DNA sequence: TTGTATGCGTTATCAA
DNA sequence: TTGATAACGCATACAA
């Protein structure tokens, strides 16, 4: 393990000169620079991260808190892991994964020991312990989500209340008056996963305002959804619905699409489908579905912006809230009610 | 940021006494211990990670290399992320995520700077650059997978060649003679993802030995799979197949199951289904499917065992290969050919 | 049983 | 333009 002294000896200069050559904080003669760089190359020198942090420098590490709660299948958080890691790396940071069930303990461990320079909170619940405690963390903290108690951290989220209204408006303008709401699996509502609840309530409230009829799917647990049953039940309704707003995952929706197909219903000619709060980018779906997706890329990038500015410029981000306007990805699964034209 | 000196002052003892109280490497009077612990509590003291590493201690960090390659949807690696993090934490380590496209560069950065104490390689290809270079890494390395060039690291993987044979034997013993092989999407074969290729070849070879007929599904890309077409094509074969071995993901398989159902075929009465190299634990599938799954939990735990023993006891793990015997999860989707009994 | 002194590898300050 | 040196916070060898 070659250190700065070894490089200095090899190059025939002092250790501080090597440091300055590498940092560029002092003008160094071309000749010295060459000698030093040659020695660095030869010895494969890389500064020791701990030693440099001892001198007050940062560690360039962001902690990503994604606690495993019970038996929840967290596959959908993968996009956030990867996007956070990507955004962090672009800003010169590495990402450390904190998945222990006692998230606050994990966060304290890595912040108090000065391992991490900042924290990103994932899978934020309405009533989130981490966000509530964030004021006492010794490093800046950003939540991807919108917990009720958030005075100690910044929040970045999609405006799911707005998404609910936009989804309803979108269908209403196309002439739809009776629609189906395909719920997520129950466990997500039970654990008060913030956005799942907010979107649903906003959707139902706004539909009511407009006088629309919303038929909600029955409750189901992750592995017990029966698409055939869902389709036959829902379309037996006296006011035959003309559209589906989906909040369930790709697997459940795939089954519904297949069931619709089997029941002889075409999309969007016979029924429009709009999926909200999902993320089908790159998913192998048989039919492309118009979507107001969650936006891991945008959220993680913005969260990282805030965090880095708090870390590097000591910007005060505590309590700030940034709600991103939901986007609509048109993929042709929504049409005028009763018509055959696609949108 | 309270340091060890602050604690010492608060407790009215010397810094070394505080250190010894915390490490327990010296016998300390109960009175002193109490005073020190009280001060630690009061000031919320946590030793600085960098400073302690300067003293030759470890950083307790494992780097997890999972490079993003092109547009591949890596959702299936989520289980490995979580299992690795879990196993690491049990051993007292945190996990750092390395997802940059230049994986070797990332690994060198965190190992040469002494940030990480060891490396786990994920998403290992047949011809893996990281594994090939692992001999030159300055920290121990374990690959979850079985790359051809692996002299510098330990390998932990499922024995996919054995899995191929076991899958075939299992169906053969049940009387199946003509079977369908449902391929994974093409991109996985194209990028020479090790296990996907090995399993398929072993399966085909062993089926040939036994004189079985294997009908392979057509090639498809992730978003263009047509289950109806697949079912109608495959079961139009003169020797009507009695079983399906699946290597595709949950979404594709779901569609096939639905299509079979629509075609009036019951599982396992009319057709047996065995899924291999997949992982449906906790997946919301309409029909439970007998499976020889990948085993993230076992693989990650074993990888971590090896890595920790290399880190902490300097065990030489270079070049070692550990192939785990595939397990069979019976979920009732396989029966005797032509009978109605489930297994 | 406890305290003092040293050094880990850097970077910043001061001196040349 | 460069070199010597102090200091960062901790763990340990040594001294008491």
């Amino acid at each position: 393990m070659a250190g700065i002294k070894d490089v200095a000896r090899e190059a025939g200069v002092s250790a501080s000169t090597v440091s300055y050559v590498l940092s560029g904080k002092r003008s160094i003669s071309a000749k010295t620079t060459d000698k030093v760089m040659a020695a660095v190359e030869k010895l494969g020198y890389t500064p020791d991260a701990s030693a440099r942090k001892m001198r007050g420098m940062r560690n360039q590490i962001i902690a990503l808190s994604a606690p495993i709660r019970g038996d929840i299948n967290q596959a959908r958080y993968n996009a956030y892991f990867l996007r956070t890691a990507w955004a962090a790396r672009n800003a010169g940071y590495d990402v450390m994964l904190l998945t222990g069930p006692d998230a606050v303990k994990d966060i304290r461990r890595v912040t108090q020991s000065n391992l991490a320079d900042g924290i990103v909170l994932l899978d934020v619940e309405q009533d989130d312990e981490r966000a509530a405690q964030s004021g006492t963390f010794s490093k800046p903290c950003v939540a991807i989500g919108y917990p009720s108690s958030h005075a100690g951290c910044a929040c970045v989220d999609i405006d799911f209340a707005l998404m609910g209204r936009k989804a309803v408006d979108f269908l209403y303008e196309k002439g739809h008056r009776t629609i189906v709401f395909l719920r997520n699996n129950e466990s997500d509502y039970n654990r008060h996963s913030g956005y799942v609840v907010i979107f649903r309530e906003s959707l139902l409230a706004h539909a009511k305002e407009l006088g629309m009829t919303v038929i909600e799917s029955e409750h189901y647990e992750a592995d017990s959804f029966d698409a055939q049953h869902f389709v036959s039940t829902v379309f037996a309704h006296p006011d035959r619905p003309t559209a589906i707003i989906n909040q369930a995952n790709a697997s459940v929706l795939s089954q519904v699409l297949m069931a619709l197909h089997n029941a002889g219903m075409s999309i969007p000619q016979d029924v429009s489908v709009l999926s909200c709060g999902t993320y089908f980018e790159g998913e192998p779906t048989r039919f492309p579905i118009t979507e107001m997706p969650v936006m891991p890329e945008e959220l993680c990038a913005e969260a990282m912006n805030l965090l880095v500015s708090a870390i590097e410029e000591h910007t005060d981000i505590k309590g700030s809230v940034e709600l991103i306007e939901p986007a609509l990805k048109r993929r042709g699964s929504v049409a005028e009610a009763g018509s055959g034209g696609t949108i």
Side-chain angles (χ1 to χ4, degrees), chain A:
Chain A
M1 221 50 87
I4 199 169
K5 286 179 177 173
D6 303 296
V7 177
R9 195 178 329 109
E10 177 75 26
V13 299
S14 76
S16 62
T17 299
V18 175
S19 178
Y20 281 115
V21 167
L22 262 39
S23 72
K25 291 189 181 177
R26 181 151 125 175
S27 58
I28 304 276
S29 73
K31 208 176 72 182
T32 305
T33 302
D34 289 347
K35 279 191 301 185
V36 169
M37 292 313 285
V40 166
E41 285 295 308
K42 179 175 175 191
L43 302 180
Y45 166 73
T46 309
D48 181 275
S50 302
R52 100 186 303 182
K53 220 225 58 190
M54 288 281 287
R55 297 288 328 162
M57 326 245 50
R58 271 169 265 108
N59 233 339
Q60 304 296 108
I61 295 181
I62 302 276
L64 183 56
S65 169
I68 298 176
R69 301 195 172 102
D71 58 343
I72 293 168
N73 182 334
Q74 304 230 8
R76 69 181 135 157
Y77 291 112
N78 197 264
Y80 291 90
F81 286 2
L82 298 179
R83 291 299 183 182
T84 303
W86 172 258
R89 194 82 282 282
N90 282 343
Y93 289 78
D94 279 302
V95 164
M96 159 163 296
L97 222 46
L98 263 30
T99 59
D102 188 346
V104 171
K105 197 187 76 185
D106 280 348
I107 292 172
R108 290 209 193 288
R109 178 165 48 77
V110 300
T111 53
Q112 299 205 13
S113 67
N114 284 317
L115 244 187
D117 302 311
I119 316 141
V120 172
L121 266 31
L122 232 52
D123 191 15
V124 172
E125 299 177 325
Q126 189 82 45
D127 196 7
D128 200 279
E129 170 76 2
R130 301 165 296 169
Q133 299 271 346
S134 58
T136 68
F137 296 159
S138 59
K139 306 285 173 182
C141 179
V142 177
I144 294 189
Y146 190 15
S148 46
S149 172
H150 58 263
C153 63
C155 299
V156 177
D157 204 358
I158 291 173
D159 191 337
F160 281 101
L162 177 56
M163 185 187 279
R165 294 193 296 277
K166 284 182 77 168
V168 168
D169 283 338
F170 182 54
L171 293 179
Y172 188 88
E173 285 162 14
K174 301 274 171 289
H176 298 275
R177 293 295 177 269
T178 300
I179 64 176
V180 175
F181 178 60
L182 176 48
R183 293 170 65 93
N184 209 326
N185 61 67
E186 272 321 285
S187 55
D188 270 5
Y189 298 100
N190 293 339
R191 54 193 275 268
H192 304 293
S193 174
Y195 76 93
V196 180
V197 174
I198 291 174
F199 171 78
R200 173 177 167 278
E201 288 174 358
S202 157
L203 178 155
L204 294 179
H206 192 54
K208 196 171 184 181
E209 282 173 13
L210 296 178
M212 292 170 75
T213 304
V214 179
I215 306 168
E216 251 190 299
S217 65
E218 295 172 11
H219 297 194
Y220 64 92
E221 286 306 334
D223 53 356
S224 68
F225 181 75
D226 184 340
Q228 310 274 14
H229 176 73
F230 164 77
V231 167
S232 56
T233 311
V234 143
F235 287 93
H237 202 266
D239 296 335
R240 186 183 168 287
T242 56
I244 296 174
I245 294 183
N246 169 67
Q247 195 181 20
N249 66 28
S251 173
V252 165
L253 182 59
S254 289
Q255 294 174 52
V256 168
L257 297 179
M258 187 72 74
L260 288 172
H261 184 78
N262 300 336
M265 282 185 269
S266 302
I267 298 167
Q269 290 79 4
D270 302 307
V271 57
S272 292
V273 178
L274 172 63
S275 188
C276 297
T278 50
Y279 187 65
F280 296 151
E281 202 72 50
E283 277 271 340
T285 47
R286 182 75 189 85
F287 310 96
I289 295 297
T290 296
E291 187 182 25
M292 297 183 58
V294 294
M295 304 187 286
E297 185 168 5
E298 289 80 358
L299 291 177
C300 293
E302 183 52 24
M304 203 52 61
N305 278 343
L306 287 170
L307 197 54
V308 167
S309 88
I311 293 171
E312 299 182 356
E313 288 142 42
H314 301 98
T315 313
D316 182 18
I317 57 172
K318 287 188 179 182
S320 77
V321 175
E322 204 160 320
L323 295 180
I324 296 181
E325 181 169 348
L328 177 69
K329 296 283 178 192
R330 296 172 190 258
R331 301 202 183 100
S333 68
V334 175
E336 298 282 337
S339 95
T342 71
I343 281 158

